[in-house]
Amino acid sequence: ALIRYSTTGIVDSSFGNNGKVLTAIADTTSFANKIIIQNDGKIVIAGYSASNIGGYHDFAMIRYHNNGSIDSSFGINGIVTTDINSSYDNAQTLAIQTDGKLLLAGGASNGVDYDLAVVRYNTDGSLDLSFGVGGKQITPVGNHNDSPNSIAVQNDGKILLAGGTYNGTDYDYLIVRYNSNGNLDTTFGNNGIVIHPIGNSNEISSSILVQNDGKIILGGYTFTDTAICHFALSRYNNTGNLDSTFGDNGIIISNFGYDNEVIYSIAFQNDGKIIAGGSSGNVNNNDFAVARYKSSYTLGIAN
């Protein structure tokens, strides 16, 4: 489902069918998790869809013209689906390179747990066979579930995935960096992988940013005990090491005073300040929560 609004927040009736577009990918459920706007104004949404064969999930993308009509020049009648492991493949995040190629990433089941999977497509939706193996790259980080929630492309073309990896007890922050051909970048972290346990319990990053100087910022959450989690930002140098000049030895944990505080997305303002958006539990339910961090990367204003 796709809906477009005017700048005043009213549904734009010139888009699709009175502002709305519904597209069936498969015979059953389809989920859209990410949207991007190409430089030419075309709209790409990505996620996953139940396969018509076997009922498993496949990576899925749809591209629309600016008016909401499907772009039939993309994939098959505007739709691309990709099977990774002939099992449950759940795409969570999407990015576009400067050359217009698309990167779709998520988790791919190997029958026991989930591995990282990233796929690169040409501008027409065909697999980019110069990337990974046949356009696909699968990375098992450990012996348990690995989940990428965000993707970014550096200025040098290297690709970053961020999310979490399960260590057998709980989840830790995870960053994986690939060269532009899909191979792991062995100059980053431990053979291309950074696993960062911020605290002593679960922590998962949901969003990643790359500064102009190449430093990497993750936003997500960390549990300060078994029941209470808070906003968590961390910053890393280009090599994958924590940047000790950021926050408290590379980490900022922001407490709204409640017990369930999670960052879902982070973004730069034009002045370089960081906006983190998510939710905060207030005993009875969750509220929207926003924190802004100053250029000195200490907590600014939270409402």
Side-chain angles (χ1 to χ4, degrees), residues 27-279:
D27 293 337
T28 55
T29 306
S30 305
F31 291 94
N33 289 323
K34 191 71 174 182
I35 184 171
I36 60 171
I37 311 297
Q38 297 184 171
N39 290 335
D40 59 5
K42 292 181 179 180
I43 304 158
V44 182
I45 61 173
Y48 57 93
S49 175
S51 172
N52 288 326
I53 301 174
Y56 295 117
H57 295 162
D58 293 332
F59 281 19
M61 290 190 297
I62 310 172
R63 190 164 73 189
Y64 303 89
H65 294 293
N66 188 48
N67 63 2
S69 62
I70 286 184
D71 177 11
S72 60
S73 69
F74 185 74
I76 299 175
N77 294 322
I79 296 172
V80 171
T81 59
T82 305
D83 175 45
I84 308 296
N85 270 340
S86 299
S87 187
Y88 289 98
D89 308 318
N90 301 329
Q92 300 293 337
T93 186
L94 174 69
I96 187 167
Q97 297 184 167
T98 55
D99 59 4
K101 291 182 178 181
L102 295 161
L103 291 159
L104 186 56
S109 174
N110 58 28
V112 178
D113 51 42
Y114 281 86
D115 297 326
L116 304 181
V118 58
V119 183
R120 189 163 72 192
Y121 303 86
N122 296 310
T123 56
D124 63 356
S126 61
L127 287 169
D128 177 8
L129 302 182
S130 69
F131 182 81
V133 179
K136 311 170 189 178
Q137 184 61 273
I138 301 172
T139 306
V141 174
N143 297 319
H144 302 280
N145 284 329
D146 307 315
S147 173
N149 295 319
S150 187
I151 189 170
V153 182
Q154 296 184 171
N155 291 335
D156 59 5
K158 292 183 179 181
I159 300 157
L160 293 161
L161 290 185
T165 183
Y166 191 69
N167 60 28
T169 303
D170 51 47
Y171 279 89
D172 297 323
Y173 267 23
L174 172 68
I175 317 173
V176 179
R177 190 164 75 187
Y178 301 91
N179 295 312
S180 60
N181 63 1
N183 294 332
L184 284 169
D185 177 10
T186 57
T187 68
F188 183 77
N190 182 10
N191 291 319
I193 298 170
V194 170
I195 299 173
H196 181 199
I198 291 179
N200 297 318
S201 188
N202 283 311
E203 46 251 349
I204 295 179
S205 64
S206 56
S207 191
I208 187 170
L209 295 175
V210 182
Q211 297 182 177
N212 289 333
D213 61 4
K215 291 183 178 181
I216 301 159
I217 299 174
L218 295 190
Y221 65 86
T222 183
F223 275 81
T224 53
D225 63 29
T226 56
I228 299 174
C229 64
H230 298 302
F231 277 27
L233 287 181
S234 54
R235 190 168 72 184
Y236 307 83
N237 295 314
N238 191 45
T239 58
N241 296 317
L242 270 174
D243 176 13
S244 60
T245 68
F246 180 83
D248 183 7
N249 201 31
I251 301 168
I252 297 175
I253 297 174
S254 301
N255 183 352
F256 287 79
Y258 298 111
D259 60 359
N260 186 26
E261 301 166 350
V262 178
I263 291 175
Y264 292 115
S265 187
I266 55 177
F268 287 124
Q269 294 186 166
N270 290 336
D271 60 3
K273 292 179 181 178
I274 301 170
I275 292 286
S279 63

